[in-house]
């Protein structure tokens, strides 16, 4: 049960100036530059934060390099790193509601979702990797009696992490948990429009006993701070969640600098496929609505393309429209809200352009389609369902990253697969069917990093998340995430 009184007491709480965390201290930018933090709830400034330069990024990278090379973190016994990380997770959990409200004010996610998906999820992720770190072993190779072959797993060094604004704590923890547990040091760049909670948990890491320089946070623009990170020869691995255009730039900069490994999660245009033999149309409707409209569609795995078998198309869409129009859109700090604010005015305007283009092409707007609650000053959009979409339309090909659903009918399984696989993306997918054979065929045939069957979303840390095609490479979550942050080092010993 959410503590409504506590939420209200934090709604307009003053936020102290937000600073970089570099080498164990909170500090302003070298040039003193700052930027206002605009809340999407009302369009007003809620805080001021340091606005970093390339020099600030270089300071953080140098601190991370020193901290790695002197072994203050990598040299600790794994059990000691675990102890500190478990204390860190406990501190995050103890402040979960305060962190959730701060995050909602910063990026607009509805509080009911934010509490679970952000601080509580981050704490669980950090705890998961902390518990795993002293259970990862090297290997002994099968050799002759005169040789001992060993395979060590060694931390890669300095990790640069650039994370998005939709779920900064959850996605940030997906990077920080395994990177830090493995013994690396980290330079983290939050998104410009969702930085506050990541700074706060970095401060909590220091409080938990994490040595100075192990986790550094640099605020500012991607084209400045992120650019400096991607070009730095002192960063060994770069991990990023965000847009394809930025991902390409990071790869180019890695090639220009030290050929650092770059792991990318670049979003998707995920198909949610409903066959006529779905076990429950009502359940499919409810889950499909949440699969696209939660967090105002600002979810990388959002089911933004709905493919419905033609024989049930009209009935399913009618039910979905009713369910969508029953969703409460508005104040994200109201526990009854089902869809909160769009993160920024720029994102809202982009969403609306996609809808305007679809309307101009003659596609039908079954519900929604416009900005709502404009008098609040905030950035709100009605959940929008567009029908009659052609698979070649930009609405069916491009990632909107907003509460806009493209609906398309299909007649056969083969057609559904062709439409589903007919984009540049391959992050997630879903299939609704009672046929076990069809479910297995679809899992095999759909080109996606994760395929849901008779559900959408909800997978936990035990399974990896990663994409194929232009949805990226590498995996977050699960023990496979360690693969990005550990090098294999062989020892060949003559006995």
């Amino acid at each position: 049960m959410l503590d409504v009184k506590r939420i209200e007491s934090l709604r307009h709480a003053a936020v102290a100036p937000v600073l970089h965390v570099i080498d164990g201290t909170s500090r302003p930018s070298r040039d003193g530059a700052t930027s206002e933090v605009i809340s999407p709830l009302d369009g007003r400034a809620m805080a001021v934060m340091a606005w970093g330069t390339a020099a600030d990024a270089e300071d953080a990278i140098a601190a991370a390099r020193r901290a790695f090379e002197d072994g203050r973190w990598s040299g600790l016994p794994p059990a000691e790193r675990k102890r500190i990380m478990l204390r860190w997770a406990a501190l995050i959990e103890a402040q979960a509601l305060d962190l959730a409200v701060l995050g909602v004010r910063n990026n607009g996610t509805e509080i009911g979702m934010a509490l679970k998906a952000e601080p509580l999820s981050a704490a669980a992720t950090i705890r998961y990797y902390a518990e795993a770190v002293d259970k990862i072993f090297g290997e002994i190779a099968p050799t002759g009696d005169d040789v001992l072959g060993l395979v060590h797993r060694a931390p890669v060094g300095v990790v640069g992490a650039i994370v998005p604004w939709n779920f900064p704590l959850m996605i940030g923890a997906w990077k920080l948990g395994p990177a830090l547990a493995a013994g690396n040091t980290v330079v983290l760049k939050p998104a410009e429009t969702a930085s506050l909670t990541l700074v706060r948990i970095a401060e909590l890491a220091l409080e938990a006993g994490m040595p100075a320089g192990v986790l550094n946070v640099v605020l500012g623009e991607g084209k400045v701070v992120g650019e400096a990170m991607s070009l730095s020869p002192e960063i060994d691995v770069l991990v990023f969640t965000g847009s394809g255009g930025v991902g390409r730039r990071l790869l180019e900069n890695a090639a220009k600098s030290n050929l650092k490994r770059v792991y990318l999660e670049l979003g998707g245009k995920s198909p949610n496929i409903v066959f006529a033999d779905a076990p429950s149309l009502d359940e499919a409707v409810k889950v499909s609505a949440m699969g696209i409209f939660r967090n105002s569609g600002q979810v990388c795995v959002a089911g933004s393309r709905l493919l419905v078998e033609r024989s049930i198309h009209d009935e399913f869409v009618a039910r979905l429209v009713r369910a969508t129009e029953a969703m409460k859109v508005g104040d994200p700090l109201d526990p009854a809200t089902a869809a909160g604010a769009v993160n920024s005015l720029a994102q809202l305007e982009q969403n609306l352009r996609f809808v305007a283009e679809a309307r101009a092409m003659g596609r039908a707007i079954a519900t929604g389609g416009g900005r709502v609650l404009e008098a609040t000053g905030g950035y709100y959009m009605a959940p929008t369902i567009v029908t009659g979409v052609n698979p070649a339309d930009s609405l069916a090909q491009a990632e909107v990253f907003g509460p806009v659903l493209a609906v398309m009918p299909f007649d056969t399984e083969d057609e559904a697969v062709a439409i589903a696989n007919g984009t540049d993306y391959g992050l997630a997918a879903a299939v609704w069917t009672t046929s076990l054979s069809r479910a297995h065929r679809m899992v095999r045939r759909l080109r996606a990093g994760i395929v849901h069957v008779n559900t959408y979303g909800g997978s936990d840390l035990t399974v990896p998340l990663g994409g194929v095609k232009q949805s990226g490479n590498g995996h977050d979550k699960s023990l496979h995430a360690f693969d990005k942050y550990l090098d294999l080092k062989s020892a060949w010993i003559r006995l």
Side-chain angles (χ1 to χ4, degrees):
M1 182 68 71
L2 290 169
D3 185 343
V4 176
K5 288 185 178 180
R6 180 65 180 165
I7 292 170
E8 287 305 314
S9 72
L10 295 168
R11 178 185 290 274
H12 300 295
V15 179
V18 183
L19 305 176
H20 311 293
V21 178
I22 299 175
D23 206 12
T25 62
S26 298
R27 49 170 268 191
S29 297
R30 276 198 180 198
D31 63 1
T34 61
S35 178
E36 283 190 327
V37 179
I38 304 299
S39 174
L41 277 64
D42 56 15
R44 298 176 182 174
M46 60 173 286
V48 173
M49 68 179 181
W51 206 237
T53 64
D56 296 303
E58 289 161 6
D59 287 347
I61 295 166
R65 176 55 63 187
R66 288 192 300 271
F68 180 74
E69 296 297 341
D70 67 21
R72 71 186 74 168
W73 184 246
S74 61
L76 289 178
E80 178 63 11
R81 292 203 299 272
K82 177 172 77 170
R83 185 183 64 81
I84 292 171
M85 291 183 69
L86 289 176
R87 187 185 303 150
W88 183 28
L91 289 172
I92 293 171
E93 198 167 64
Q95 297 190 25
L97 186 59
D98 289 36
L99 284 165
V101 173
L102 180 63
V104 169
R105 293 173 66 192
N106 197 184
N107 79 339
T109 302
E110 52 274 8
I111 186 65
M113 184 180 194
L115 180 61
K116 292 185 292 184
E118 284 284 89
L120 293 179
S121 171
T125 298
I126 291 165
R127 189 175 291 117
Y128 176 90
Y129 289 107
E131 290 287 3
V133 70
D134 58 357
K135 302 171 183 67
I136 296 176
F137 294 86
E139 303 167 21
I140 299 176
T143 64
D145 291 343
D146 60 340
V147 169
L148 176 62
L150 302 176
V151 181
H152 294 266
R153 287 180 168 85
V156 297
V158 177
V159 173
I162 303 174
V163 298
W165 43 259
N166 56 331
F167 292 106
L169 287 184
M170 179 177 72
I171 297 173
W174 290 349
K175 321 294 189 189
L176 297 177
L180 292 169
N184 302 288
T185 57
V186 176
V187 177
L188 173 68
K189 196 206 91 65
E192 295 90 325
T193 56
S195 300
L196 307 189
T197 54
L198 285 168
V199 170
R200 181 62 187 133
I201 69 163
E203 295 167 347
L204 292 177
L206 293 169
E207 188 177 327
M210 192 171 289
V214 173
L215 173 56
N216 308 273
V217 181
V218 186
L219 308 169
E221 287 185 280
K223 65 183 179 182
V224 176
V225 175
E227 186 83 352
M229 291 169 62
S230 62
L231 287 168
S232 173
E234 293 299 324
I235 286 184
D236 301 294
V237 164
L238 187 64
V239 291
F240 169 74
T241 296
S243 71
V246 174
R248 287 180 177 84
R249 178 74 175 181
L250 298 179
L251 287 169
E252 291 170 0
N253 287 348
K256 290 176 182 177
S257 54
N258 61 337
L259 292 175
K260 60 177 67 66
R261 297 199 297 272
V262 181
Y263 297 103
L264 306 169
E265 195 266 272
L266 303 177
K269 193 68 184 177
S270 301
N272 181 22
I273 306 167
V274 183
F275 286 93
D277 68 344
S280 167
L281 290 188
D282 286 339
E283 179 70 9
V285 162
K286 181 179 72 173
V287 175
S288 296
M290 293 306 296
I292 177 60
F293 298 132
R294 60 181 178 168
N295 198 27
S296 293
Q298 299 165 139
V299 181
C300 55
V301 298
S304 55
R305 288 186 295 153
L306 177 65
L307 283 58
V308 187
E309 192 165 357
R310 195 176 302 275
S311 63
I312 61 166
H313 175 275
D314 293 351
E315 177 188 359
F316 192 87
V317 170
R319 293 191 194 189
L320 184 62
V321 167
R322 289 194 295 271
T324 300
E325 292 176 346
M327 296 176 67
K328 180 177 179 180
V329 181
D331 177 12
L333 290 174
D334 180 349
T337 293
V342 174
N343 175 258
S344 66
L345 182 59
Q347 185 63 45
L348 174 61
E349 290 173 342
Q350 175 177 292
N351 298 346
L352 295 173
R353 283 195 294 272
F354 272 101
V355 176
E357 180 183 348
R359 184 180 279 114
M361 295 176 69
R363 310 310 180 218
I365 311 301
T367 189
R371 183 175 183 177
V372 295
L373 304 173
E374 191 168 356
T376 66
Y379 313 134
Y380 301 93
M381 181 174 176
T384 301
I385 299 173
V386 184
T387 61
V389 175
N390 186 297
D393 290 355
S394 61
L395 191 61
Q397 293 290 321
E399 184 176 41
V400 179
F401 219 63
V404 183
L405 177 64
V407 183
M408 291 161 277
F410 68 88
D411 292 298
T412 67
E413 185 177 307
D414 286 345
E415 184 185 7
V417 170
I419 295 171
N421 289 340
T423 74
D424 291 333
Y425 295 104
L427 185 58
V431 179
W432 296 82
T433 180
T434 52
S435 168
L436 182 62
S437 297
R438 172 180 281 153
H440 280 291
R441 286 196 304 270
M442 295 296 285
V443 168
R444 186 177 66 248
R445 298 178 71 189
L446 292 173
R447 297 203 64 198
I450 182 169
V451 181
H452 308 88
V453 178
N454 296 333
T455 187
Y456 201 102
S459 61
D460 65 18
L461 285 168
T462 58
V463 295
L465 174 65
V468 298
K469 300 193 287 185
Q470 291 186 34
S471 283
N473 58 355
H475 292 84
D476 287 324
K477 301 170 58 179
S478 85
L479 295 180
H480 292 284
F482 278 115
D483 295 345
K484 301 196 293 272
Y485 307 110
L486 289 168
D487 279 331
L488 297 180
K489 179 189 292 186
S490 297
W492 192 255
I493 305 169
R494 177 70 64 181
L495 300 178

